[in-house]
């Protein structure tokens, strides 16, 4: 209806980014940025930060979000995106993803129903060895959106975190019909945040058996190789790399 609706362009770019479409995301971000004379100062600042992030300049994006929050301290979107940025880019910059915690907690203070912030805080709690707190966040997220995109991955992490065999079987059965992205988020969550690499290896083996796509099965073998190397099982890691 309005080809020059800049905020819609920016939000569409974010949707593409969150769904792993790396080609489309910068295209729509650039369109939004080119229409910056049609938006408010606050929206322009968000566009600028997103453009830096998609261009691979995490440091510049972080500065932009920080500047935006200095001017609008209660800006929910900027607060969440700062935490999201740190979760995704801090390891590549030699920094802990725990730095994402303050902006994500503030996001939840501003909006207790913010599922993205709650799921990320659940992952951080799991990483910190606080399974009870992680499960509280995950159960709340699932109650808010039982049929949402993240629901099945959240159930996977929770069931492996508390080693609930019955729920693990239910999750694996549900994953057979899940989207490709859900499969890989579930696997990476259990591997990175689950706190037990042996269980992660078993989960990976189960997933590889139900994935039909050759491309996805290749990725699952690669993640299994990383898990094996992290456990010090070099020969197994090489074998799983060869399978990929």
């Amino acid at each position: 209806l309005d080809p020059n609706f800049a905020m819609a362009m920016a939000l569409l770019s974010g949707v593409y980014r969150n769904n792993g479409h790396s080609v489309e995301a910068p295209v729509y971000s650039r369109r939004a940025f080119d229409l910056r004379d049609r938006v408010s100062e606050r929206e322009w600042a968000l566009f600028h930060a997103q453009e830096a992030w998609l261009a691979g300049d995490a440091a510049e994006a972080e500065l932009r979000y920080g500047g935006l929050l200095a001017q609008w301290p209660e800006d929910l979107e900027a607060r969440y995106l700062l935490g999201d940025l740190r979760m995704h880019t801090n390891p590549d910059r030699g920094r802990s993803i725990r730095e994402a915690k303050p902006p994500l907690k503030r996001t939840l203070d501003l909006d207790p129903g913010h599922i993205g912030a709650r799921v990320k805080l659940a992952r951080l709690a799991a990483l910190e060895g606080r399974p009870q707190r992680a499960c509280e966040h995950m159960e709340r997220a699932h109650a808010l959106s039982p049929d949402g995109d993240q629901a099945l991955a959240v159930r996977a992490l929770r069931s492996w975190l508390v080693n609930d065999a019955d729920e693990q079987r239910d999750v694996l059965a549900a994953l057979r019909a899940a989207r490709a992205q859900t499969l890989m988020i579930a696997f990476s969550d259990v591997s990175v945040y689950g706190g037990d690499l042996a269980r992660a290896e078993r989960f990976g083996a189960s997933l590889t058996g139900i994935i039909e796509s050759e491309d996805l099965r290749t990725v699952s073998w690669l993640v299994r190789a990383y898990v094996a190397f992290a456990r010090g099982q070099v020969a197994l890691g090489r074998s799983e790399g060869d399978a990929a």
Side-chain angles (χ1 to χ4, degrees):
L1 292 175
D2 182 2
N4 293 319
F5 188 4
M7 181 53 80
M9 295 286 186
L11 292 172
L12 186 57
S13 173
V15 171
Y16 277 124
R17 183 191 69 217
N18 290 337
N19 283 280
H21 296 286
S22 57
V23 175
E24 294 90 342
V27 171
Y28 285 96
S29 178
R30 171 51 57 179
R31 287 186 190 175
F33 191 70
D34 289 343
L35 294 167
R36 59 191 178 277
D37 60 335
R38 298 171 58 91
V39 302
S40 68
E41 183 182 358
R42 176 253 176 196
E43 290 171 335
W44 181 88
L46 280 172
F47 294 177
H48 210 149
Q50 178 170 266
E51 188 73 0
W53 185 351
L54 291 172
D57 193 342
E60 177 66 17
E62 188 171 32
L63 283 172
R64 293 284 173 184
Y65 286 129
L68 196 154
L69 288 167
Q71 191 165 355
W72 296 280
E74 302 303 293
D75 191 290
L76 179 70
E77 192 169 9
R79 188 72 62 179
Y80 172 70
L81 289 170
L82 176 60
D84 195 29
L85 175 80
R86 289 175 177 173
M87 285 280 287
H88 284 288
T89 67
N90 269 15
D92 292 335
R93 297 187 285 163
R95 290 163 52 184
S96 172
I97 64 170
R98 288 181 177 85
E99 291 179 17
K101 199 169 174 181
L104 292 173
K105 286 182 70 174
R106 183 59 186 146
T107 300
L108 216 53
D109 290 341
L110 294 168
D111 177 11
H114 199 294
I115 294 174
R118 197 171 283 281
V119 169
K120 285 179 171 58
L121 285 169
R123 290 170 176 152
L124 287 168
L127 187 69
E128 293 171 341
R130 298 189 297 136
Q132 183 175 348
R133 184 59 176 150
C135 288
E136 288 171 2
H137 279 306
M138 286 187 281
E139 286 161 9
R140 178 64 176 146
H142 192 265
L144 286 166
S145 182
D147 300 315
D149 285 345
Q150 303 195 62
L152 190 51
V154 163
R155 284 183 61 203
L157 177 56
R158 198 206 76 82
S159 64
W160 262 265
L161 198 61
V162 301
N163 202 21
D164 184 331
D166 290 337
E167 188 172 17
Q168 287 172 8
R169 282 193 293 271
D170 291 344
V171 166
L172 283 170
L175 284 171
R176 289 180 179 274
R179 294 188 309 157
Q181 187 181 20
T182 302
L183 284 167
M184 297 320 302
I185 290 174
F187 192 3
S188 61
D189 277 3
V190 171
S191 302
V192 176
Y193 307 109
D196 189 323
L197 290 174
R199 284 207 298 260
E201 173 62 31
R202 292 196 295 274
F203 181 43
S206 300
L207 272 189
T208 306
I210 67 173
I211 294 173
E212 295 182 2
S213 159
E214 284 190 1
D215 288 344
L216 274 179
R217 199 178 306 122
T218 299
V219 175
S220 77
W221 278 114
L222 286 172
V223 179
R224 288 175 63 180
Y226 298 151
V227 171
F229 287 134
R231 298 179 68 198
Q233 298 176 325
V234 177
L236 179 61
R238 286 176 173 163
S239 172
E240 291 175 333
D242 288 343

